């Protein structure tokens, strides 16, 4: 089982007790505004999503980590890696993404968690390229992408819902060149 610790966070696999907390995050319209078609998820859809995440860990050797605050043990949301099958034109690809509950916004948690997940992707999984996809207008996520070193690569439309998105990328070579010694 992969667990990553940072100064403030624990990135870990999912537990049964995480489902209701993540369901609250996914039920918040402001959180979901930039995700998929912008609709909130029911608790059942959240449970199914977490089950898919766990299957991805088993099949791919990577997935979305549950992000827990070390100090309080609170579940803040998730960050990690997935295959962006909703956007076939970028495949094969590994995407880094994150989603946090609103109480955890603006505290650098997304950047801290995503930095650890990016390191895992390049150093443990040996990915050659990692992308991140943001809906056009989601400047908060694009700021995190920039902090991670990802650069805008293209704009396109998601076939399933017509959402305009911007794809950002970071290659392994660029990651290694900018990584602190």
């Amino acid at each position: 089982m992969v667990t990553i610790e940072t100064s403030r966070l624990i990135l870990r696999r999912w537990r049964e007790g995480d489902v209701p907390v993540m369901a609250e995050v996914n039920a918040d319209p402001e959180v979901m505004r930039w995700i998929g078609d912008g609709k909130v998820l029911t608790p059942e859809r959240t449970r199914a999503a977490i089950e898919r995440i766990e299957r991805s860990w088993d099949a791919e050797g990577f997935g979305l980590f549950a992000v827990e605050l070390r100090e309080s043990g609170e579940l803040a949301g998730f960050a990690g890696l997935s295959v962006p099958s909703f956007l076939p034109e970028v495949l094969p690809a590994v995407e880094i993404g994150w989603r946090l509950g609103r109480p955890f916004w603006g505290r650098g948690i997304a950047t801290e968690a995503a930095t650890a997940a990016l390191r895992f992707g390049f150093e443990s999984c040996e990915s050659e390229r990692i992308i991140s996809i943001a809906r056009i207008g989601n400047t908060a996520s694009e700021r995190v992408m920039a902090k991670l070193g990802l650069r805008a690569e293209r704009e396109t439309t998601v076939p399933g819902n017509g959402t305009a998105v911007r794809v950002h990328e970071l290659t392994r070579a660029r990651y290694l060149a900018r990584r602190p010694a």
Side-chain angles (χ1 to χ4, degrees), residues 80-82 94-98 113-115 117-118 130-133 148 150:
L81 306 172
S82 63
V94 174
E95 178 189 16
I96 187 165
W98 48 86
T115 297
L118 195 66
I130 294 178
I131 66 170
S132 194
I133 303 165
L148 296 174
L150 284 92

Side-chain angles (χ1 to χ4, degrees), residues 129-178:
R129 175 177 174 260
I130 294 178
I131 66 170
S132 194
I133 303 165
R135 282 180 62 177
I136 302 296
N138 187 350
T139 56
S141 278
E142 290 192 301
R143 277 193 301 271
V144 173
M145 292 172 194
K147 289 176 188 176
L148 296 174
L150 284 92
R151 296 181 185 160
E153 186 255 339
R154 76 174 91 168
E155 291 184 9
T156 190
T157 303
V158 177
N161 60 27
T163 302
V165 295
R166 188 172 294 119
V167 179
H168 299 73
E169 71 169 351
L170 180 60
T171 63
R172 178 180 183 73
R174 272 197 314 118
Y175 168 80
L176 293 172
R178 70 186 302 272

Side-chain angles (χ1 to χ4, degrees), residues 55-73:
R55 285 193 302 275
S56 171
W57 273 105
D58 296 337
E60 306 287 345
F62 59 78
L64 298 169
F65 292 96
V67 175
E68 178 182 307
L69 273 62
R70 287 174 66 127
E71 189 173 293
S72 65

Side-chain angles (χ1 to χ4, degrees), residues 8 22 41-42 52 77-78 93 102 109 116 118 121-122 134 153:
R8 299 183 296 163
M22 198 65 210
L41 299 183
T42 64
R52 278 192 308 279
F78 68 69
R102 266 198 284 171
I109 293 170
L118 195 66
F122 282 122
E153 186 255 339

